[in-house]
């Protein structure tokens, strides 16, 4: 076969190709069409191959490597491993503004029961925190929450109990033999949020324990808080360890939250801020009575509940 093509042949092919383009139907697609009678030779194939650009596998390639997203972490294990009860009572002999820190605390005989709160603890998520709290409730650490005060109530937010100090002031006797809580520096211990009423949390950021007690090398933090709602408390998130939830007794939580507290006037607050600015240590001491309940609210009893067939869900958010 002769592969040479004369100038006349080339001109004839281009004229023929141009003639077919002009006669293309208006409904035809915009790419080249070749009729059945067209004479196709090697040069026509070359021309068609240059006019029709087909995608190549490389055209689909990108400069960026294809990466798969990392797997999402598993949800925190909030299985209820332990059930703890606390009975709360209130004394009508109200907290006085002139009450000195040296006065002894004695539970009054005419105390009014407020009710029982049952806590479910997340022992698989934060076992050390749960173990220490449980030991304080059953009294195995030569100390107990029983007979100690609810120290502060923040209306619409939470209340605090378990402050360490002098037993005759209604404070918790420093425990002995509790394991050091290394979960206070673990990120996974701070996953859960204070998003609803009835959240039980180890009080770290809002802790009121005296500095001289905290300097003891055997110090173990056992102060705790319970959110009262109705709104969440995002200011407590990532700063305190959520280790349980209220299973029963949210009405008791609400009852405690409704007790009036001592609130200083705006003038006293301003004077306190000024005193703190000048380094007066009395400013900090004065603030210890702020938000204290005007009734003596205390934990009249506490302990562990053994439930063989719980009626509630085994885990809660």
């Amino acid at each position: 076969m002769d592969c040479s093509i004369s100038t006349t042949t080339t001109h004839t092919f281009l004229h023929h190709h141009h003639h077919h383009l002009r006669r293309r139907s208006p409904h035809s697609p915009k790419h080249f069409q070749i009729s059945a009678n067209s004479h196709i030779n090697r040069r026509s194939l070359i021309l068609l191959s240059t006019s029709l650009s087909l995608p190549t596998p490389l055209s689909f390639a990108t400069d960026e490597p294809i990466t798969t997203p990392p797997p999402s972490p598993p949800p925190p294990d909030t299985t209820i491993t332990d059930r703890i009860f606390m009975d709360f009572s209130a004394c009508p002999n109200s907290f006085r503004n002139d009450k000195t820190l040296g006065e002894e605390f004695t539970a009054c005989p005419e105390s009014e029961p407020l009710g029982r709160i049952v806590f479910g603890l997340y022992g698989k998520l934060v076992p050390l925190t749960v173990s220490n709290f449980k030991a304080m409730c059953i009294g195995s650490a030569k100390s107990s929450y029983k007979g100690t005060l609810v120290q502060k109530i923040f209306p619409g937010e939470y209340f605090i109990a378990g402050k360490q100090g002098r037993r005759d002031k209604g404070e918790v006797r420093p425990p002995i033999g509790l394991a050091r809580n290394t979960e206070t520096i673990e990120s996974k211990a701070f996953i859960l949020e204070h998003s609803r009423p009835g959240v039980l949390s180890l009080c770290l950021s809002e802790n009121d324990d005296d500095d001289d007690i905290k300097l003891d090398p055997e110090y173990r933090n056992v102060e705790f808080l319970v959110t009262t709602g109705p709104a969440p408390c995002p200011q407590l998130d990532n700063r305190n360890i959520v280790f349980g939830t209220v299973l029963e007794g949210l009405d008791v939580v609400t009852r405690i939250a409704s007790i009036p507290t001592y609130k200083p006037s705006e003038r006293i607050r301003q004077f306190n801020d000024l005193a703190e600015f000048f380094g007066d240590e009395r400013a900090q001491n004065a603030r210890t009575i702020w938000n204290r309940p005007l009734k003596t609210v205390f934990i009249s009893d506490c302990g562990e509940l053994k439930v063989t067939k719980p009626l509630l869900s085994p885990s809660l958010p």
Side-chain angles (χ1 to χ4, degrees):
M1 177 180 176
D2 187 6
C3 294
S4 63
I5 303 176
S6 63
T7 306
T8 306
T9 305
T10 304
H11 182 269
T12 304
F13 169 75
L14 292 177
H15 177 73
H16 179 72
H17 184 64
H18 180 65
H19 177 68
H20 278 283
L21 290 178
R22 290 176 58 187
R23 294 179 58 189
R24 184 177 54 188
S25 170
H27 300 291
S28 301
K30 293 182 179 180
H31 56 270
F32 293 131
Q33 293 187 353
I34 303 175
S35 64
N37 297 326
S38 299
H39 177 69
I40 301 177
N41 55 24
R42 182 177 181 184
R43 184 170 181 84
S44 64
L45 291 176
I46 295 176
L47 290 174
L48 286 176
S49 65
T50 56
S51 61
L52 296 176
S53 59
L54 298 177
T56 63
L58 293 177
S59 64
F60 294 103
T62 58
D63 296 334
E64 298 180 359
I66 299 176
T67 58
T68 57
S72 57
D77 190 346
T78 55
T79 301
I80 302 297
T81 58
D82 304 272
R83 285 168 172 78
I84 296 295
F85 75 89
M86 282 189 176
D87 295 334
F88 290 84
S89 299
C91 245
N93 55 348
S94 62
F95 166 81
R96 302 192 311 272
N97 294 346
D98 59 348
K99 180 179 180 180
T100 62
L101 297 178
E103 291 186 13
E104 292 186 0
F105 165 75
T106 54
C108 59
E110 64 272 19
S111 61
E112 169 194 358
L114 297 176
R116 170 171 291 191
I117 298 177
V118 177
F119 297 105
L121 309 184
Y122 305 144
K124 292 187 177 181
L125 180 65
V126 280
L128 287 176
T129 303
V130 166
S131 176
N132 287 352
F133 181 78
K134 181 179 176 181
M136 291 297 299
C137 290
I138 63 179
S140 61
K142 297 184 179 180
S143 182
S144 174
Y145 292 126
K146 183 178 179 179
T148 61
L149 294 173
V150 172
Q151 297 292 334
K152 291 188 177 182
I153 300 174
F154 297 84
E157 296 181 350
Y158 56 94
F159 68 81
I160 297 178
K163 177 182 178 180
Q164 294 186 45
R166 293 171 49 182
R167 186 70 177 186
D168 58 3
K169 292 166 53 180
E171 298 170 342
V172 173
R173 183 184 296 111
I176 298 175
L178 288 184
R180 185 173 297 278
N181 193 348
T182 57
E183 292 167 349
T184 57
I185 59 174
E186 294 181 3
S187 59
K188 73 170 187 176
F190 298 87
I191 294 177
L192 299 180
E193 299 177 346
H194 304 73
S195 57
R196 54 186 171 78
V199 171
L200 175 63
S201 177
L202 182 66
C203 194
L204 300 176
S205 64
E206 311 296 327
N207 189 286
D208 282 336
D209 290 349
D210 296 334
D211 290 338
D212 55 346
I213 296 178
K214 292 181 179 180
L215 292 176
D216 188 336
E218 298 300 320
Y219 172 76
R220 301 290 185 267
N221 180 28
V222 294
E223 193 168 354
F224 65 93
L225 63 86
V226 180
T227 57
T228 60
C233 299
Q235 75 276 15
L236 302 177
D237 295 342
N238 302 312
R239 305 173 67 192
N240 306 277
I241 299 177
V242 174
F243 66 95
T245 185
V246 172
L247 298 179
E248 301 176 25
L250 270 178
D251 57 328
V252 180
V253 173
T254 303
R255 201 170 299 140
I256 295 174
S258 64
I259 295 176
T261 59
Y262 171 68
K263 297 180 180 179
S265 64
E266 185 62 28
R267 182 179 178 182
I268 293 178
R269 288 180 178 272
Q270 292 176 355
F271 182 78
N272 187 276
D273 292 341
L274 183 63
E276 185 182 27
F277 177 78
F278 286 107
D280 193 336
E281 295 181 357
R282 293 174 296 179
Q284 179 64 33
N285 294 333
R287 283 201 296 270
T288 59
I289 66 173
W290 295 5
N291 298 107
R292 280 194 177 181
L294 296 179
K295 288 183 178 181
T296 303
V297 183
F298 63 100
I299 302 170
S300 52
D301 197 8
C302 57
E304 183 182 10
L305 289 178
K306 296 292 187 179
V307 182
T308 55
K309 295 181 179 180
L311 300 177
L312 299 174
S313 171
S315 62
L316 292 173

